[in-house]
Amino acid sequence: MSRSAPVVPALVLALVLAACDGGGGQGTPGGPGLRDPYFPKAGNGGYDVTHYDLRLAYDPGSRRLTGTAGITARATQDLSAFDLDLKGLDVRTVTVEGEQARWDRAGQELTVRPRDVLHDGETFQVTVRYAGTPLTLTDQDGSKEGWLPTADGAIALGEPTGSMTWFPGNHHPSDKATYDIAVTVPKGLTAVSDGEPSGETTAGGRTTFSWHTAEPMASYVATVAIGRYQVARSTVGGALPAYVAVDPARAKESRAVLAKLPEVMEWAETNFGPYPFSSTGVIVDRQDEVGYALETQNRPVFPGVLDTDTLVHELVHQWYGNSVTPRTWRDMWLSEGFATYAEWLWNEDQGGDSAQETFDSLYDGDYFGTAEADAAVWAFPPAKPSGAAYISDPPVYWRGAMVLQKIRQTVGDDTFYDIVQGWAAAHRHGNADTAQFTAYVERQAPDKDFGAIWRDWLYGDGKPPHR
Ligand code: TRP
Ligand code: ZN
């Protein structure tokens, strides 16, 4: 690229050159995505976030959010510029290392140009001030996510991309971080989030609720729930703090299932190993547009319905999904297949259908009650969803669970439980992909042949020829 040289006063030129000096050269832009196979612009190149410090204020009446996002990150290359993901909202100011930075926006990319090059390995601090009415997103599969207003507040749900509607960040499951989230709401309302409560102060008719997440969290399972809640604090298994927040209008019909939280947690620890996080809980709200629960970290959100199977499913996601997090959105079955399989195990252990019976009825096409729904399980292989619109489709959940039953058939119960516990331990608080999983299983049972399972059940098109 050739450019006519502007006339630059010598002193300014010297200062610019000095700023670019420092052994790292000028650096290059980090890039707008992480090449996710389904969401190529999700996340950003050139840095890893280690901590988010989010200070938010929300007024349900005006639906206005005001935020300050403090982001601590480490450069993984010399950076002349880097992107954050943010959809909607108005950016006011951006600073890097305390200095005003230039920025611009295009789609979901907020591109920041720090005054000085950030060097590979350097830890740096970004502060973004922003405000506006956060968006509700409609995904390619038609489901709603992002910021979801309720009758008395709002809930934030971020799978797969909705968290960029309420804070700027590196919104890809491969970049996990710790969080401090403080939410200021009108007095009388409560703000619940992930992790543990770390403070509550009221001043000037508003209350600030602070939450601390000490274990790494993917941004898609970060949440904020604002509204009137009945809050119950307890402990599970004698030591683990539990924080349960329930919309009063759902309290009565939720009570029986919520009472099972300790039992489900203890059952899950027996089967899947030590719980990976420092608190548990549940959030039950009313949000009519959302037809699904989400495994938000520490405490899943149920937007209205709460049944035992779904409670089991969302709690087991804490092990598979939230602690062992898919590396990309292609690896989603490692999250959904495990959580679905856990429902089958729960029912088996409760004296209901065995996991093999559930598998058989899916294979025989008499599980869902309509031929169309039963056929949908075979639409694509679980490890290769047909596109971004399909990552939450039946093959990822049910056929993914069937892969686990195939492994159990092959190795027997003792080795199977060693595998699922060992997998959770090996990748605790990390990310993992399908190739790592198949290699792990093969290492745990070196005398068995998994070739046909991987070929037909995990990667093969159509219904596998043999159960
Ligand atoms: N992942 C959620 C769960 O299984 C459910 C979910 C989130 C979902 N987004 C979705 C289901 C979109 C269907 C469509 O716990
Ligand atoms: Zn799930």
Side-chain angles (χ1 to χ4, degrees):
M1 198 209 285
S2 75
R3 230 182 253 164
S4 57
V7 183
V8 181
L11 177 61
V12 174
L13 184 61
L15 289 171
V16 169
L17 289 173
C20 297
D21 190 20
Q26 307 241 353
T28 50
L34 290 170
R35 299 200 189 100
D36 186 276
Y38 299 100
F39 299 93
K41 284 190 182 157
N44 307 284
Y47 65 93
D48 274 320
V49 177
T50 53
H51 186 72
Y52 291 94
D53 185 1
L54 309 178
R55 289 160 200 232
L56 312 174
Y58 187 65
D59 174 27
S62 63
R63 295 192 174 176
R64 198 179 159 72
L65 178 79
T66 308
T68 301
I71 301 169
T72 308
R74 199 179 55 82
T76 56
Q77 64 175 69
D78 290 343
L79 284 170
S80 59
F82 60 89
D83 281 13
L84 296 165
D85 300 314
L86 181 68
K87 229 175 206 173
L89 300 167
D90 298 315
V91 172
R92 295 287 165 71
T93 59
V94 180
T95 66
V96 177
E97 295 290 77
E99 300 207 70
Q100 295 285 338
R102 288 193 296 151
W103 53 272
D104 57 62
R105 301 185 69 182
Q108 69 184 50
E109 302 301 319
L110 166 61
T111 301
V112 178
R113 289 184 186 75
R115 193 118 43 115
D116 302 327
V117 168
L118 299 164
H119 293 295
D120 190 4
E122 181 184 338
T123 294
F124 61 98
Q125 186 71 35
V126 186
T127 304
V128 182
R129 288 179 209 283
Y130 58 100
T133 302
L135 296 171
T136 302
L137 304 183
T138 303
D139 289 331
Q140 293 181 45
D141 65 5
S143 55
K144 302 280 186 192
E145 58 154 341
W147 193 264
L148 300 142
T150 59
D152 55 2
I155 51 178
L157 299 180
E159 188 181 45
T161 63
S163 291
M164 65 181 76
T165 65
W166 58 282
F167 67 99
N170 201 27
H171 290 297
H172 188 265
S174 60
D175 190 1
K176 305 210 279 188
T178 56
Y179 285 70
D180 280 290
I181 301 177
V183 190
T184 301
V185 294
K187 194 176 160 193
L189 298 184
T190 301
V192 186
S193 186
D194 314 280
E196 293 85 54
S198 57
E200 186 183 318
T201 56
T202 298
R206 302 196 304 168
T207 307
T208 300
F209 294 86
S210 301
W211 293 83
H212 177 65
T213 298
E215 293 96 16
M217 176 164 74
S219 71
Y220 78 94
V221 286
T223 193
V224 166
I226 296 163
R228 280 176 217 288
Y229 297 112
Q230 293 179 359
V231 173
R233 292 173 189 241
S234 61
T235 55
V236 163
L240 182 70
Y243 188 102
V244 175
V246 183
D247 185 312
R250 290 283 171 273
K252 200 165 164 229
E253 59 196 288
S254 304
R255 193 165 299 136
V257 175
L258 287 173
K260 296 183 186 176
L261 175 67
E263 183 190 354
V264 174
M265 288 293 293
E266 283 165 35
W267 171 85
E269 286 206 287
T270 304
N271 286 282
F272 308 120
Y275 180 65
F277 301 120
S278 43
S279 67
T280 183
V282 174
I283 299 166
V284 183
D285 208 331
R286 281 175 295 155
Q287 216 295 334
D288 297 334
E289 283 181 309
V290 180
Y292 59 86
L294 188 65
E295 64 267 27
T296 45
Q297 194 146 306
N298 303 91
R299 51 192 59 77
V301 170
F302 298 83
V305 286
L306 183 73
D307 59 69
T308 306
D309 281 353
T310 314
L311 180 66
V312 169
H313 181 110
E314 307 306 341
L315 291 175
V316 172
H317 267 310
Q318 306 301 316
W319 282 257
Y320 307 103
N322 298 8
S323 171
V324 184
T325 303
R327 189 172 302 286
T328 75
W329 290 109
R330 175 164 284 168
D331 304 303
M332 178 91 159
W333 81 276
L334 288 172
S335 175
E336 298 303 348
F338 273 79
T340 303
Y341 193 74
E343 296 177 57
W344 303 0
L345 284 178
W346 169 264
N347 284 309
E348 177 175 309
D349 289 350
Q350 299 294 306
D353 286 352
S354 68
Q356 184 61 44
E357 285 168 332
T358 306
F359 175 101
D360 286 341
S361 97
L362 279 158
Y363 194 86
D364 293 336
D366 57 15
Y367 181 79
F368 291 103
T370 71
E372 203 191 351
D374 282 308
V377 172
W378 315 112
F380 57 80
K384 263 194 305 174
S386 318
Y390 304 96
I391 59 165
S392 291
D393 271 17
V396 173
Y397 285 70
W398 285 278
R399 194 169 156 187
M402 292 176 93
V403 171
L404 296 174
Q405 178 63 13
K406 291 299 296 177
I407 295 168
R408 187 177 173 196
Q409 286 173 1
T410 306
V411 302
D413 278 7
D414 284 355
T415 304
F416 180 73
Y417 283 100
D418 286 349
I419 287 173
V420 292
Q421 287 186 17
W423 175 247
H427 296 281
R428 183 179 163 97
H429 297 153
N431 292 92
D433 61 27
T434 303
Q436 285 174 299
F437 178 72
T438 56
Y440 182 83
V441 172
E442 286 168 1
R443 277 201 305 280
Q444 301 308 306
D447 55 326
K448 304 290 189 207
D449 182 3
F450 298 94
I453 299 178
W454 308 151
R455 187 191 66 223
D456 297 338
W457 284 89
L458 201 44
Y459 293 109
D461 287 321
K463 184 173 173 177
H466 307 290
R467 77 175 73 218

